[in-house]
């Protein structure tokens, strides 16, 4: 790789437009490169929203998939891990904290839509993973976003906290979570 950016810039300037188009097209076949091009050049206004909608669709497809596991909770842990990986891909491209929080909220809503009997299993790790996601959302909303956004998330966060505290009081991570967000 060339160390001197001036030399690289000069060499790129000598390429024809067709060669540049071919290079960009080839680079855009990789997802992170395509995301970068979409957000920064192709669709500056709606690119992040498009990636958000794509992430929601991917999460919905992952939720339809069957996962192997001894118990329902073990299967849900594997599903949650796959969804978390989609979130990491999304977060690597999109730097909008509001969209990140919305995606995290959507994923948590899917988890808390489960019957409350899913929570409380001693050895599955599901409660712990959901607790970590809830902790991440709380930190994102309270510390990394403008305080006005807290109003939008407060009711859902308090509902999630109430449900998880009622069912998973044996996990220290969950016990460390606040009982109410104000």
């Amino acid at each position: 790789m060339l160390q001197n950016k001036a030399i690289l810039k000069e060499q790129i300037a000598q390429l024809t437009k067709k060669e540049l188009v071919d290079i960009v097209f080839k680079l855009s076949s990789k997802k992170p490169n395509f995301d970068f091009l979409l957000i920064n050049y192709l669709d500056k206004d709606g690119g992040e929203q498009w990636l958000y909608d794509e992430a929601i669709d991917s999460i919905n497809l992952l939720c339809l998939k069957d996962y192997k596991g001894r118990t329902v909770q073990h299967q849900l842990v594997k599903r949650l891990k796959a969804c978390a990986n989609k979130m990491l891909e999304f977060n690597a491209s999109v730097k909008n904290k509001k969209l990140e929080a919305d995606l995290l909220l959507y994923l948590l809503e899917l988890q808390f839509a489960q019957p409350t009997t899913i929570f409380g299993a001693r050895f599955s790790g599901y409660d712990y993973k959901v607790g970590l996601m809830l902790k991440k959302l709380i930190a994102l909303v309270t510390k990394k976003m403008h305080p006005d956004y807290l109003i939008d998330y407060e009711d859902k966060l308090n509902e999630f906290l109430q449900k998880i505290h009622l069912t998973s009081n044996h996990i220290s991570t969950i016990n460390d979570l606040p009982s109410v967000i104000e």
Side-chain angles (χ1 to χ4, degrees):
M1 184 172 165
L2 295 174
Q3 295 294 330
N4 192 340
K5 290 185 180 181
I7 295 172
L8 179 63
K9 190 173 186 178
E10 184 180 313
Q11 289 176 339
I12 289 175
Q14 292 176 359
L15 295 172
T16 67
K17 183 176 180 179
K18 183 186 179 323
E19 290 172 326
L20 287 172
V21 168
D22 290 342
I23 290 170
V24 169
F25 188 70
K26 186 167 183 157
L27 287 174
S28 68
S29 65
K30 304 274 187 208
K31 176 104 174 93
N33 296 340
F34 173 76
D35 294 349
F36 175 79
L37 285 172
L38 180 69
I39 292 169
N40 295 307
Y41 297 104
L42 303 176
D43 190 2
K44 290 181 181 180
D45 296 331
E48 289 182 335
Q49 184 64 42
W50 188 82
L51 291 175
Y52 172 80
D53 294 337
E54 184 183 64
I56 292 286
D57 292 342
S58 296
I59 287 172
N60 287 335
L61 286 175
L62 289 172
C63 289
L64 295 175
K65 185 178 170 186
D66 288 331
Y67 294 88
K68 294 181 180 179
R70 294 184 306 248
T71 64
V72 174
Q73 289 88 352
H74 285 105
Q75 295 166 6
L76 289 174
V77 166
K78 290 180 181 180
R79 177 187 301 159
L80 195 57
K81 189 173 183 177
C83 292
N85 287 338
K86 286 294 176 189
M87 281 203 57
L88 288 175
E89 287 176 18
F90 176 79
N91 293 343
S93 300
V94 177
K95 302 303 178 203
N96 185 333
K97 296 297 180 192
K98 170 83 168 100
L99 289 177
E100 181 181 347
D102 287 345
L103 190 59
L104 200 50
L105 180 68
Y106 179 77
L107 190 54
L108 283 169
E109 283 176 337
L110 291 175
Q111 306 316 307
F112 283 101
Q114 306 280 342
T116 54
T117 56
I118 292 294
F119 295 104
R122 296 279 181 195
F123 302 108
S124 70
Y126 180 66
D127 299 9
Y128 175 72
K129 294 266 188 212
V130 172
L132 285 179
M133 281 194 160
L134 185 55
K135 182 179 179 179
K136 183 176 181 178
L137 180 60
I138 290 169
L140 186 64
V141 170
T142 59
K143 295 179 182 158
K144 295 186 180 182
M145 293 172 60
H146 193 275
D148 291 344
Y149 283 115
L150 181 60
I151 296 167
D152 296 340
Y153 296 95
E154 187 176 9
D155 292 337
K156 279 292 185 185
L157 285 173
N158 287 331
E159 178 186 332
F160 295 160
L161 285 168
Q162 180 185 11
K163 284 182 182 179
I164 204 157
H165 279 300
L166 285 174
T167 57
S168 305
N169 58 359
H170 62 283
I171 300 172
S172 61
T173 303
I174 292 172
N175 286 334
D176 294 342
L177 291 174
S179 55
V180 175
I181 299 292
E182 297 179 31

